[in-house]
Amino acid sequence: MHKPRRGLFLSFEGIDGCGKTTQAMLTYKFLTEQGFAASLLREPGSTEVAERIRGILLDRKLEITNRTELLLYEAARADLTERQIAPLLVRGQIVLCDRFYDSTTAYQGFGRRLDVTMVRGLHRVAVGNIRPDLTFVFDLDVRTAVTRRKGDPDRLEAQSQAFFERVRRGFLEIARKERRRVKVIDAAQPADAVFEDVKKYLIRKLRGHESRRSA
């Protein structure tokens, strides 16, 4: 179990090409300009161990079984949570993470068709009681998402359209079951319009968080 937290944890989710990384960066810029102490992290990554695992996971030359892939993601997440996320939250920072455990539920649970209950059990092992306070899912049809990607596809991006359709349905199912935490945003809009939707939810969450801290 991790120590009690005082900060705020935001995660940014969606299929590859949905624009979540851009929105995470815009949110980080907005928060820091408003004077908030914030940190922007990515999954898998943002620690030496997790970045090395990321290199393995995205390497198209490697054949990785579905369960091995799942466990690698959880190992990277455990390291990131223990070394970065939990300590930053204890210090009262706003932590933004480009992907967190919802991605593994969607990609490995729904996309790879692994048992979702098992996948969620492994999340608890990896992160203890750490969970996002607010999650944005940037929803976009698969064909449009593919056209937005840049460069050569990595091992995950090279998966089939059917795979990404299952992943997209996974994210929407997560949002349907956790409506308080997970907000679905239409990612087909221009980036500035998407960010206006992000700010609407973000400002509301910040107000609630500050009122709880001052109580």
Side-chain angles (χ1 to χ4, degrees), residues 55-64 153-156 158:
I56 293 170
L57 284 163
L58 301 185
D59 189 344
R60 289 189 64 177
K61 297 177 182 177
L62 296 177
E63 293 185 8
I64 303 175
D154 59 38
R155 194 181 66 84
L156 267 294

Side-chain angles (χ1 to χ4, degrees), residues 134-138 175 178-185 201 204:
L134 178 62
T135 296
F136 300 104
V137 168
F138 299 95
E178 296 190 61
R179 292 179 181 176
R180 281 194 171 186
R181 173 177 71 90
V182 183
K183 307 304 179 183
V184 178
I185 294 178
Y201 292 115
R204 189 180 306 161

Side-chain angles (χ1 to χ4, degrees), residues 4-78:
R5 37 182 277 175
R6 295 181 290 126
L8 192 67
F9 185 17
L10 313 174
S11 60
F12 296 75
E13 302 282 9
I15 63 173
D16 293 272
C18 70
K20 61 178 178 49
T21 300
T22 297
Q23 295 303 318
M25 293 173 65
L26 289 171
T27 304
Y28 174 75
K29 183 174 183 288
F30 172 78
L31 288 169
T32 54
E33 287 176 348
Q34 297 299 312
F36 290 96
S39 293
L40 176 58
L41 309 171
R42 71 172 183 176
E43 263 220 346
S46 295
T47 69
E48 182 178 358
V49 170
E51 288 291 342
R52 292 191 184 191
I53 294 173
R54 181 186 184 91
I56 293 170
L57 284 163
L58 301 185
D59 189 344
R60 289 189 64 177
K61 297 177 182 177
L62 296 177
E63 293 185 8
I64 303 175
T65 67
N66 292 344
R67 286 178 181 268
T68 300
E69 180 182 83
L70 168 64
L71 292 169
L72 285 170
Y73 274 110
E74 297 293 3
R77 178 168 301 122

